Amino acid sequence: MACFVPFNNRNLDISFLVFRPTVVFVDDLVEALKQFSLCIENLGCVHSAIFRSIHGNMIVWYGAWMKRSNENKQLINTAMISMLTNVGSMAILIDSSFFDAYAGESKDGSPAAKFFNGDIISLSSATISGNENTFSYACSAIFKDRFLKMEGATAGICLKSQTMPRIVGLFVWKSLQFCYSYILNSDNRNTILPYFGGIHLDVKYDVFRVVYVSGDNSVLHSL
């Protein structure tokens, strides 16, 4: 079964919960988040996924929701956090945000970044202090210039937080080797940072393995 992150905001809202585990056996946390995924389907979550950091100490939960107002999204966020009681003893919730997609491409022509259980995903997050619109435009320009040249990347998407000055880039890879090759051969300091001029960036990057997916794949055809 596939999960996906849509390239537009027409029908779905996108949210991420980011956790830092406090337990040795992270599998227990993953199992608790799987149960959480099943419970929140009644709140309108169409599909969800769990990403586990390969080298770091991070778990990311992804959810796609039926479109709703900002006020209702705040209620959903509050409800989600209240349902994480079983997770609270195993991890610290360090971020909970809804995002808008504003740029995305796939090499198979799909309108979404599709991934399966076991796939490799890289996430880069940049928090900025400066002109957010200028920064978003620069990220979009870099993405459109580079994506087709990224060997082994099957899809990519740029996301903007709805509540804070943060941009997230998500890429799906054919294999871990392709992801590593791109990271090792990239000269970001000389080829990417000049795009941002004097904007101060707090950049974080990690590589994840998809350890769980759920949802109704028929929604993909409505994007």
Side-chain angles (χ1 to χ4, degrees), residues 72-159:
N72 283 335
K73 277 183 280 192
Q74 293 175 0
L75 294 175
I76 288 294
N77 208 39
T78 301
M80 281 196 296
I81 293 174
S82 70
M83 295 171 67
L84 289 170
T85 52
N86 291 338
V87 176
S89 62
M90 294 181 281
I92 300 170
L93 177 64
I94 60 176
D95 194 15
S96 173
S97 301
F98 277 88
F99 287 81
D100 290 324
Y102 70 94
E105 290 189 40
S106 62
K107 292 181 179 175
D108 65 356
S110 171
K114 294 188 296 184
F115 51 87
F116 298 82
N117 196 17
D119 278 355
I120 300 299
I121 285 178
S122 63
L123 287 172
S124 56
S125 170
T127 303
I128 66 170
S129 57
N131 189 312
E132 186 176 354
N133 290 331
T134 299
F135 180 68
S136 300
Y137 177 81
C139 289
S140 177
I142 294 169
F143 172 79
K144 292 176 180 178
D145 177 65
R146 288 176 166 260
F147 175 69
L148 292 179
K149 306 171 187 175
M150 296 172 64
E151 184 180 6
T154 62
I157 183 170
C158 295
L159 304 158

